Amino acid sequence: MKKKTPKLYCLEQPKSSNGDQFRTIRSNIRYTRVGGEIRSLLVTSSLPNEGKSTVAMNLAIAMAETGRTVLLIDGDLRTPTVHKAFDLPNWVGLSSILVDQTRLEDCIFSIEDSEGLSVLTSGPISPNPADLLGSTGMKRLFAELSERFDTIVIDSSSVLMPFSDALILAKMTEGVLLVVKSGKVLLKHTNSAKQMLEQQGAHVLGAVLNYRKSSKRYKIRGEDFADWASSSGMV
Amino acid sequence: MEFELGSILKLVKRKLLFIIVLCIVAVGLASFVSYYVLKPKYEATASILIQGDRQQKAINDIMAGQKLVTTYGEIIRSSRIAEEVVRKLQLNMTPEKLLEKVKTRTSSESLVTTVIVTDSNAQQATDIANGFGEAFNENIQAIMGVENVVFLDRAKVPFEAISPKPVFNMVVAFGLALIAGVAFSILRELAEKPVRSAKNIQLDLQLPLLGTVGKLKPRKRRAKSKSNSVEGATRHEEENAKIVLPGTTEII
């Protein structure tokens, strides 16, 4: 299965409605928490191909726009996509730091187009991602990165896969964002994903509905606006 | 949702208990109904042979014979004969009711006419079959002027009921239950609702909805300064492919 490389809408067209959708998510996340910002965030979904990476990357860019330092970690060690989207080399990355102690500085890339955003790629694909993510080295690394950056966004694999990558990461982070692909994922799947995350003690912040069909009802057309404006005495 | 054979098999595996229970219930019901509820039916047969006039040369033998045999079949089922049988056996039913139980079978190959009687009582079926044979014997002279009617086989009391067939019923019930069970599981699977709207997420999942991402229209690609090859492979992809982590075997 060839995964499509996600697109960085927030970088390509910062002023477009596409980018705005992610800014809305960013603000909503901000207000879910009373007292202080969410410091680390895991983006996951119940099934593969729901748009986790797209949401994670664009959200990270949107967060960096507010002047915070953001680190995007590609925690999907099985089918990494982040380095493709940012067009980065994947010689070294998270897996190589955990396996053979590569220096952190060699793996973290600052993105030129986005002020304050850094990316830690997945590194070469290893045979045992779940062990790597559950290791003490990962905990140490995560603690170190939390000190260095304001916000950490982790893109991960899906929850309902037969391995526990996403759940391990969910325990580390402060909040989990569940991406739901509209019209494809069954309610029972999302429900069981949510329950699994909560059993692990993860804090599920909320869901993001992806691939929403834009129906006519939600669109405000020009003539509607004209009616509204004239009736409210603006013209 | 697409259904292939594999997914159906998986589904059946998951719902196996339900389907098995359904089959057991259906077979049990079928056996109960056929053993206790339905009245058993018995079938008695009597056969009559009519030889035509001996003097008559058999020119159109087959044609005539066939027509004759058919005619006899009709005659046996006539109300005149039926009334006589009712009178003789002192049955408390109308001739029409009686005729419902009687079938005649004629074969085009022979001149034998068979009377088949089905009844819930084996003895009564036998009596009726023989009654028909005798009544026909007595009346055929007057009706057709044929002389030599031979009552070939008297009906014997049957031991085996012809219906209901419990085994057959149970097999049919099992098959039907199996189909119904599989169909029901598939339907239930199809009735599963995919998440479609914000309402789903907030009510059914009870998660706050943090935002929706609609259809994202990619920008029209301008000529990019990046050295992207035609296949869309990034400049690092080939290099990345070369990297082998310790622990994986390198294939040269």
Side-chain angles (χ1 to χ4, degrees):
Chain A
M1 183 188 69
K2 184 96 174 74
K3 273 176 75 166
K4 265 191 352 198
T5 306
K7 294 201 167 55
L8 304 168
Y9 298 97
C10 291
L11 280 186
E12 283 182 0
Q13 313 135 283
K15 297 285 181 288
S16 70
S17 64
N18 294 348
D20 256 351
Q21 293 172 330
F22 294 106
R23 288 189 199 98
T24 310
I25 298 171
R26 176 195 68 198
S27 331
N28 283 338
I29 290 172
R30 212 181 210 164
Y31 297 126
T32 52
R33 185 81 180 277
V34 182
E37 296 251 2
I38 292 270
R39 295 290 316 279
S40 55
L41 180 73
L42 178 81
V43 180
T44 187
S45 68
S46 34
L47 296 172
N49 287 333
E50 288 193 66
K52 296 180 289 291
S53 300
T54 309
V55 172
M57 284 185 253
N58 288 292
L59 192 59
I61 297 165
M63 282 177 163
E65 282 170 7
T66 58
R68 303 162 58 82
T69 52
V70 179
L71 176 69
L72 173 64
I73 302 179
D74 193 348
D76 187 351
L77 298 184
R78 291 166 202 271
T79 47
T81 42
V82 171
H83 63 276
K84 287 184 197 162
F86 284 103
D87 201 10
L88 297 168
N90 202 10
W91 297 85
V92 286
L94 183 58
S95 61
S96 52
I97 294 175
L98 297 172
V99 171
D100 48 16
Q101 312 294 321
T102 316
R103 282 176 51 246
L104 199 54
E105 281 69 28
D106 301 340
C107 304
I108 295 184
F109 297 95
S110 294
I111 305 298
E112 303 157 23
D113 308 345
S114 169
E115 190 70 38
L117 176 67
S118 312
V119 173
L120 172 55
T121 53
S122 69
I125 293 177
S126 66
N128 53 348
D131 301 349
L132 287 185
L133 294 174
S135 64
T136 46
M138 179 70 199
K139 285 196 182 65
R140 272 206 308 274
L141 176 71
F142 191 76
E144 189 184 335
L145 291 171
S146 306
E147 302 220 333
R148 216 188 279 195
F149 293 92
D150 294 338
T151 313
I152 296 178
V153 179
I154 306 182
D155 173 25
S156 77
S157 45
S158 24
V159 177
L160 296 183
M161 295 280 252
F163 30 77
S164 54
D165 301 12
L167 296 174
I168 292 166
L169 288 168
K171 271 191 276 192
M172 289 187 217
T173 51
E174 286 180 17
V176 177
L177 200 64
L178 195 65
V179 178
V180 178
K181 183 171 181 176
S182 152
K184 181 193 167 219
V185 185
L186 298 181
L187 212 50
K188 61 175 184 190
H189 291 149
T190 40
N191 237 331
S192 59
K194 178 194 163 202
Q195 271 159 12
M196 279 172 86
L197 287 166
E198 280 172 352
Q199 273 171 7
Q200 294 288 334
H203 174 52
V204 183
L205 292 176
V208 171
L209 191 65
N210 200 359
Y211 292 88
R212 197 201 62 226
K213 296 273 179 296
S214 49
S215 72
K216 280 244 166 66
R217 280 183 310 164
Y218 294 117
K219 276 207 181 121
I220 301 178
R221 299 193 304 275
E223 54 264 32
D224 298 344
F225 187 74
D227 291 350
W228 173 78
S230 60
S231 66
S232 59
M234 280 175 68
V235 182
Chain B
M1 290 198 56
E2 65 283 343
F3 268 103
E4 299 133 17
L5 191 63
S7 63
I8 289 181
L9 282 178
K10 255 191 232 161
L11 201 86
V12 168
K13 241 185 211 157
R14 240 187 301 143
K15 293 257 197 313
L16 197 58
L17 187 70
F18 165 75
I19 291 172
I20 286 174
V21 167
L22 195 74
C23 287
I24 289 171
V25 167
V27 170
L29 198 71
S31 63
F32 173 79
V33 165
S34 37
Y35 280 120
Y36 297 100
V37 178
L38 289 178
K39 285 206 181 93
K41 281 210 171 81
Y42 294 93
E43 195 174 75
T45 53
S47 44
I48 303 152
L49 172 68
I50 309 109
Q51 298 164 317
D53 229 337
R54 292 261 171 108
Q55 279 83 47
Q56 230 175 29
K57 281 283 165 283
I59 305 164
N60 293 335
D61 228 1
I62 298 173
M63 285 294 293
Q66 236 181 302
K67 283 205 172 102
L68 269 179
V69 170
T70 320
T71 314
Y72 298 143
E74 300 276 331
I75 291 169
I76 289 176
R77 291 186 47 84
S78 68
S79 27
R80 176 172 165 173
I81 305 274
E83 276 162 25
E84 189 146 329
V85 175
V86 173
R87 205 172 44 242
K88 258 192 173 165
L89 298 176
Q90 287 158 6
L91 301 167
N92 50 355
M93 58 173 106
T94 57
E96 288 77 26
K97 261 268 189 277
L98 178 65
L99 279 176
E100 280 174 16
K101 303 181 172 188
V102 180
K103 285 203 294 271
T104 54
R105 192 172 58 211
T106 55
S107 102
S108 52
E109 310 286 313
S110 67
L111 299 180
V112 177
T113 310
T114 317
V115 186
I116 304 161
V117 182
T118 47
D119 195 284
S120 50
N121 182 324
Q123 186 58 52
Q124 195 176 7
T126 317
D127 292 346
I128 291 172
N130 289 332
F132 265 94
E134 281 154 19
F136 180 76
N137 249 347
E138 288 155 21
N139 285 300
I140 195 71
Q141 280 295 111
I143 299 170
M144 298 272 297
V146 193
E147 284 165 13
N148 20 14
V149 174
V150 185
F151 202 162
L152 195 64
D153 265 339
R154 293 191 69 83
K156 292 185 196 67
V157 181
F159 296 111
E160 288 280 304
I162 53 142
S163 107
K165 300 194 186 70
V167 176
F168 176 76
N169 285 357
M170 279 190 262
V171 169
V172 169
F174 177 80
L176 283 179
L178 199 67
I179 292 167
V182 173
F184 185 73
S185 349
I186 290 175
L187 275 180
R188 260 182 56 177
E189 193 70 8
L190 283 176
E192 285 279 355
K193 283 269 178 294
V195 180
R196 271 198 198 288
S197 62
K199 203 182 72 191
N200 282 145
I201 290 190
Q202 279 164 327
L203 290 180
D204 306 338
L205 271 181
Q206 303 199 317
L207 281 176
L209 183 69
L210 294 175
T212 59
V213 180
K215 261 246 163 22
L216 296 166
K217 297 178 219 58
R219 180 183 50 170
K220 289 191 180 66
R221 281 278 166 99
R222 283 189 238 115
K224 285 182 76 177
S225 54
K226 279 175 188 166
S227 58
N228 265 16
S229 64
V230 188
E231 299 91 39
T234 59
R235 69 199 140 121
H236 296 291
E237 221 161 85
E238 291 130 25
E239 297 162 7
N240 287 342
K242 289 178 200 158
I243 305 163
V244 178
L245 256 201
T248 54
T249 49
E250 196 168 347
I251 300 158
I252 303 164

